[in-house]
Amino acid sequence: MAEARLIDNGSGNWLLQGELGFDSVADVLRHAGAMMTGKARLEVDLRDVSRADSAGLALLVEWLRESEYAGNEIAFINVPDQLLSIARVCGLDEILSLG
């Protein structure tokens, strides 16, 4: 599985790249915590996500939870159809504002 990476584009804008699966999301989650702190609003662009499974959806849910806990706002843009489909089946598309 290809490595997933989170790239800081500045001003709370992030680009997520690669495959979001069980083998890759733990590393992204671990590295993202420190990088995302201190931002009032975050925007995560998923246009370069090549594949995602339920672990990728769990990553977005965890980021949403952490943002709410910190009093921040997070938005996900350019969400791949594959990830949108999983979110809809799980009933999470509205919670994550993906639909």
Side-chain angles (χ1 to χ4, degrees), residues 57 60 76 79 83-84 87-88 92-99:
L57 180 60
L60 302 187
F76 303 104
V79 179
L83 197 51
L84 280 174
R88 283 187 187 110
L92 295 171
D93 53 323
E94 289 183 25
I95 293 168
L96 293 169
S97 300
L98 302 178

Side-chain angles (χ1 to χ4, degrees), residues 71-87:
N72 301 333
E73 184 181 329
I74 190 165
F76 303 104
I77 62 168
N78 299 315
V79 179
D81 289 338
Q82 183 181 27
L83 197 51
L84 280 174
S85 295
I86 297 168

Side-chain angles (χ1 to χ4, degrees), residues 3 10 13-14 16 26 29 36 45 47-48 63 66 69 77-80 83-84 87 96-98:
E3 177 181 325
N13 294 310
W14 302 86
L16 190 55
L29 183 60
M36 291 182 156
D45 189 338
R47 72 174 177 257
D48 288 342
W63 281 346
E66 289 178 4
Y69 180 76
I77 62 168
N78 299 315
V79 179
L83 197 51
L84 280 174
L96 293 169
S97 300
L98 302 178

